[in-house]
């Protein structure tokens, strides 16, 4: 009998595709299939020719781009020299997650499906196109598609005699078991957050712990929005970047939330543990040290401030000893309960920690082994780099708007990363932030004679500050910036810097202060008013136009 094994590969940017892939993995286990769930870039593509059955779950990002963790796979798959029969033994299915408000809706899933067909793969089903815009989100497409998928798979790979599909009432084992170390076991030398000697260029698995040099508020104290210009020391990191590049920052939870979480779950922050995979072949989470403390796990790894997904409530229901709570959790994890879940979680942006407060009997019964199944890891955040190495060698600056807004919940919502960054005070000692750099999507012209028109309202001006610093250092003129904000006196970032460059004839600057007069004035009004100049730069100067918001 054919070996009953399934490989689920995902390309995920925000975690939704990974969450869906893990759901497919759980459903496969209930059907007694041997199943691995991996990011596309973590699997050896060349081994696809040995895989009988693969489900691909992929998101589309930006303007039809593949997520970061499938970029290498994507390049390999579209190599011209792959034979047309490479994947003729492969049965596959593609599930796409996208947003129909974008022109290239689910572009990656459609293109992947087509390419696998070209290489001889056998599709089990038409490609599924999950849509964020649907009232019930992507699940409106995913739920019925999975029912059809399991029908197909069980026809090809029937259940072995004597086995039945596991009932949804049976709780699956956790991915890892957490073994506490005896309180008196020796501590290894603690270098969890010490700067280490650079190996290669810093990356997600080996970020550089950059020292915060300054953290300066650049909006007036009376302005509603707190915006920071933060400078990092990157000397000795091996990091290089140019205008348009992006810095990835790994944030952490605030101490109050960590303390609350540990109290709710009766966890002792200073207890040390090691993780062991439940199934052979499962790799350990690469970003967690072994051994690790509960404090480190909750501070640096578990995303307790994210809005919980449907899978969170599904797993939580298994631990519930309270009938009322269990019924509510089961409703939130059912297909019919999705509208109610949206109103409870997504609309008010309720956090995982807050949801746990609402189910106290269940929360205190969560076994520590299941923490990593229940709560996703904290994802890095991307910021446009706002400085040039030519102007500030061994330094890097970012412009950060601190995210804070009201919903129907009494407590204001706060952005995890921006709130943490704003709280860092370099005057209180050696403050460090784990970061690494990614190539950005903006490339500035190589020809020094090409003029550049930059439109950057608000913090959208960050990459243009880097570009202007870089171009000025290289002696390039033809720098034209349209900047917009609310008030000249409150949120005109980098005002003196721009005005100095204008005085020196190195920058043409147009500003739109929307609230400084009766009628609102935005950058598009300034572009229209200066239409003749813009057209001249475009038609005879061959100018490049850049827009960031």
């Amino acid at each position: 009998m054919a070996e009953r094994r399934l490989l689920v590969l995902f390309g995920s940017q925000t975690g939704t595709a990974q969450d869906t892939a893990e759901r497919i993995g759980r459903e496969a286990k209930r059907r007694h299939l041997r199943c691995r769930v991996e990011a596309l870039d973590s699997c050896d593509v060349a081994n696809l020719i040995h895989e009988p059955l693969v489900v691909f779950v992929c998101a589309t990002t930006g303007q039809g781009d593949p997520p970061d963790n499938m970029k290498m796979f994507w390049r390999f798959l579209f190599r011209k020299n792959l034979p047309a029969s490479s994947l003729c033994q492969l049965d596959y299915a593609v599930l796409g997650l996208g947003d129909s408000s974008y022109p290239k809706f689910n572009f990656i899933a459609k293109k992947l499906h087509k390419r696998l067909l070209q290489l001889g793969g056998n599709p089990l089903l038409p490609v599924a196109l999950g849509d964020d815009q649907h009232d019930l989100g992507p699940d409106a497409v995913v739920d019925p598609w999975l029912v059809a998928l399991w029908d197909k798979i069980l026809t090809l790979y029937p259940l072995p005699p004597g086995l039945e599909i596991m009932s949804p009432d049976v709780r699956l084992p956790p991915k890892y078991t957490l073994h506490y170390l005896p309180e008196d076991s020796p501590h290894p030398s603690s270098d969890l957050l010490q700067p280490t000697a650079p190996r290669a260029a810093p990356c997600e698995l080996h970020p550089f712990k950059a020292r915060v040099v300054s953290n300066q508020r650049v909006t007036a104290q009376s302005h509603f929005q707190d915006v920071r210009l933060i400078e990092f020391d990157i000397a000795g990191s091996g990091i290089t970047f140019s205008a348009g590049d992006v810095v990835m920052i790994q944030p952490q939870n605030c101490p109050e939330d960590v303390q609350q979480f540990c109290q709710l779950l009766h966890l002792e922050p200073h207890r040390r543990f090691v993780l062991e995979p439940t199934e052979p072949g499962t790799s350990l989470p690469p970003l967690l040290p072994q051994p690790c403390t509960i404090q480190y796990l909750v501070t640096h790894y578990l995303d307790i401030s994210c809005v919980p997904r449907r899978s969170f409530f599904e797993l939580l229901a298994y631990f519930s000893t309270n009938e009322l709570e269990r019924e509510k959790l089961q409703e939130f994890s059912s297909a019919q309960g999705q509208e109610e879940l949206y109103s409870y979680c997504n609309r008010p942006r309720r956090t995982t920690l807050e949801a746990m407060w609402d189910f106290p009997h269940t929360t205190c019964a969560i076994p520590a082994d299941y923490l990593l199944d229940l709560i996703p890891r904290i994802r890095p955040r991307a910021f446009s780099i706002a400085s040039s190495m030519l102007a500030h060698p061994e330094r890097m600056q970012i412009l950060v708007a601190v995210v804070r807004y009201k919903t129907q919940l009494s407590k204001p919502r706060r952005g995890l990363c921006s709130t943490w960054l704003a709280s860092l005070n370099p005057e209180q000692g050696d403050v460090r932030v784990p970061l690494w750099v990614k190539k950005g999507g903006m490339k500035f012209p190589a020809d020094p004679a090409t003029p550049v028109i930059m439109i950057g309202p608000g913090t959208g001006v960050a990459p243009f500050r880097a570009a202007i610093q870089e171009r000025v250092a290289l002696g390039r003129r033809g720098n034209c910036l349209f900047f917009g904000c609310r008030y000249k006196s409150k949120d005109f970032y980098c005002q003196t810097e721009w005005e100095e460059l204008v005085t020196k004839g190195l920058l043409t600057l147009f500003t739109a202060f929307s609230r400084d007069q009766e009628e609102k004035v935005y950058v598009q009004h300034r572009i229209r008013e200066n239409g003749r100049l813009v057209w001249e730069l475009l038609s005879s100067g061959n100018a490049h136009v850049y827009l960031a918001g």
Side-chain angles (χ1 to χ4, degrees):
M1 184 175 162
E3 190 190 358
R4 304 179 74 253
R5 74 169 202 262
L6 166 67
L7 177 60
V8 183
L9 296 173
F10 62 86
S12 184
Q13 195 70 21
T14 59
T16 310
Q18 179 173 352
D19 184 67
T20 305
E22 283 167 355
R23 171 184 170 183
I24 296 171
R26 289 192 297 273
E27 293 189 9
K29 285 191 177 121
R30 293 194 181 279
R31 288 158 180 81
H32 306 281
L33 284 141
R34 267 187 51 210
C35 180
R36 283 191 358 258
V37 179
E38 287 185 15
L40 276 152
D41 278 356
S42 307
C43 92
D44 185 353
V45 198
N47 283 341
L48 268 189
I49 56 169
H50 306 303
E51 291 295 339
L53 182 59
V54 181
V55 176
F56 296 88
V57 185
C58 34
T60 295
T61 65
Q63 304 300 316
D65 301 312
D68 289 339
N69 62 5
M70 69 176 280
K71 286 200 156 109
M72 292 181 326
F73 166 83
W74 198 244
R75 279 199 292 273
F76 181 90
L77 198 69
F78 284 90
R79 275 165 46 171
K80 297 272 191 290
N81 60 353
L82 296 182
S85 59
S86 311
L87 300 177
C88 59
Q89 84 319 323
L90 175 74
D91 289 327
Y92 75 91
V94 176
L95 166 52
L97 297 170
D99 182 324
S100 57
S101 66
Y102 283 80
K104 293 205 164 178
F105 172 56
N106 262 315
F107 180 75
I108 296 298
K110 293 172 187 169
K111 199 167 171 182
L112 173 61
H113 184 71
K114 214 164 138 187
R115 181 60 175 155
L116 295 169
L117 258 179
Q118 281 175 354
L119 295 173
N122 318 303
L124 295 176
L125 291 174
V127 57
L129 306 175
D131 183 8
D132 234 11
Q133 290 296 315
H134 192 285
D135 287 347
L136 301 177
D139 286 348
V141 168
V142 175
D143 289 358
W145 186 82
L146 283 178
V147 171
L149 178 74
W150 295 123
D151 278 353
K152 263 294 200 311
I153 288 177
L154 288 181
T155 311
L156 291 169
Y157 300 93
L159 285 164
L163 282 181
E164 289 184 359
I165 297 176
M166 266 195 238
S167 150
D169 302 333
V170 176
R171 182 168 92 196
L172 291 170
K175 206 169 176 180
Y176 306 103
T177 45
L178 193 138
H179 297 285
Y180 282 115
L181 299 177
E183 301 267 4
D184 52 4
S185 65
H187 281 241
S189 61
S190 170
D191 64 342
L192 290 189
L193 275 173
Q194 291 309 310
T196 47
R199 36 191 103 206
C203 60
E204 184 161 7
L205 293 182
H206 304 287
F208 178 72
K209 315 286 193 306
R211 185 174 64 84
V212 179
V213 178
S214 61
N215 181 351
Q216 176 197 350
R217 181 170 171 144
V218 289
T219 45
Q221 286 300 332
S222 60
H223 192 54
F224 76 99
Q225 174 86 76
D226 180 357
V227 177
R228 302 300 177 99
L229 183 66
I230 301 176
E231 182 168 58
F232 302 106
D233 179 353
I234 55 165
S237 64
I239 288 176
T240 57
F241 58 87
S242 45
D245 286 350
V246 166
V247 61
M248 304 300 293
I249 289 180
Q250 184 66 47
Q252 59 186 57
N253 291 311
C254 71
E256 301 82 67
D257 284 359
V258 173
Q259 191 185 352
Q260 273 189 21
F261 182 86
C262 291
Q263 281 170 352
L264 263 176
L265 277 84
H266 306 306
L267 295 167
E268 296 171 54
H270 300 293
R271 281 304 296 272
R272 289 159 64 242
F273 65 88
V274 289
L275 287 178
E276 268 180 32
T278 315
E279 287 187 7
T282 306
S283 52
L284 290 168
L287 294 161
L288 275 184
Q290 288 264 58
C292 183
T293 61
I294 292 290
Q295 178 96 28
Y296 187 93
L297 173 74
V298 184
T299 303
H300 298 279
Y301 195 84
L302 298 179
D303 197 352
I304 57 177
S305 75
C306 71
V307 176
R309 302 176 189 274
R310 174 178 169 181
S311 57
F312 169 83
F313 296 97
E314 193 181 316
L315 182 51
L316 209 50
Y318 286 107
F319 311 128
S320 195
T321 48
N322 175 292
E323 200 175 331
L324 268 175
E325 287 188 11
R326 188 170 55 246
E327 278 175 12
K328 195 71 196 166
L329 291 165
Q330 285 169 339
E331 183 190 342
F332 281 160
S333 53
S334 70
Q336 302 73 39
Q338 289 315 288
E339 223 157 306
E340 179 123 8
L341 177 60
Y342 188 86
S343 302
Y344 171 71
C345 263
N346 302 65
R347 195 168 287 124
R349 309 303 295 165
R350 194 182 302 272
T351 68
T352 295
L353 182 58
E354 288 168 331
M356 289 174 136
W357 276 109
D358 286 347
F359 295 90
H361 300 91
T362 308
T363 296
C364 66
I366 297 171
D369 288 346
Y370 280 94
L371 285 175
L372 283 96
D373 294 84
L374 193 61
I375 302 171
R377 73 173 177 90
I378 299 174
R379 299 201 160 253
R381 311 301 204 253
F383 293 89
S384 291
I385 298 173
S387 61
S388 164
M389 295 184 93
L390 299 178
H392 303 275
E394 305 198 321
R395 294 281 197 263
M396 176 195 287
Q397 298 175 354
I398 56 174
L399 199 57
V400 180
V402 181
V403 177
R404 186 173 189 267
Y405 58 95
K406 282 290 291 177
T407 64
Q408 71 216 41
L409 299 175
S410 60
K411 206 174 154 197
R413 308 292 87 194
R414 293 176 179 276
L416 173 66
C417 190
S418 60
T419 305
W420 172 62
L421 286 171
S423 75
L424 302 176
N425 182 357
E427 287 162 22
Q428 288 178 355
D430 189 25
V431 184
R432 293 189 180 256
V433 169
L435 53 77
W436 63 98
V437 165
K438 253 176 50 179
K439 278 277 151 245
M442 264 191 236
K443 297 274 176 285
F444 290 89
D447 179 355
T450 306
V452 172
I453 300 169
M454 294 161 278
I455 306 155
T459 52
V461 79
F464 303 139
R465 182 172 180 258
I468 291 165
Q469 286 182 1
E470 190 170 285
R471 288 173 60 82
V472 165
L474 294 168
R476 295 182 182 173
R477 293 174 178 267
N479 304 310
C480 174
L481 173 66
F482 288 88
F483 173 75
C485 64
R486 292 196 172 200
Y487 306 97
K488 183 175 183 176
S489 62
K490 292 185 179 179
D491 54 339
F492 186 4
Y493 316 132
C494 315
Q495 178 179 357
T496 45
E497 191 176 329
W498 302 138
E499 288 170 350
E500 272 174 31
L501 292 171
V502 170
T503 310
K504 290 177 181 161
L506 299 169
L507 175 67
T508 307
L509 175 68
F510 299 102
T511 52
F513 305 113
S514 63
R515 307 293 199 280
D516 273 347
Q517 58 287 306
E518 270 300 285
E519 70 297 339
K520 292 186 179 141
V521 175
Y522 296 112
V523 284
Q524 57 267 37
H525 298 117
R526 295 291 182 240
I527 293 169
R528 193 176 290 131
E529 286 164 20
N530 296 280
R532 179 172 286 173
L533 166 74
V534 172
W535 173 243
E536 199 176 298
L537 289 171
L538 287 171
S539 58
S540 52
N542 230 346
H544 290 199
V545 181
Y546 300 85
L547 174 67

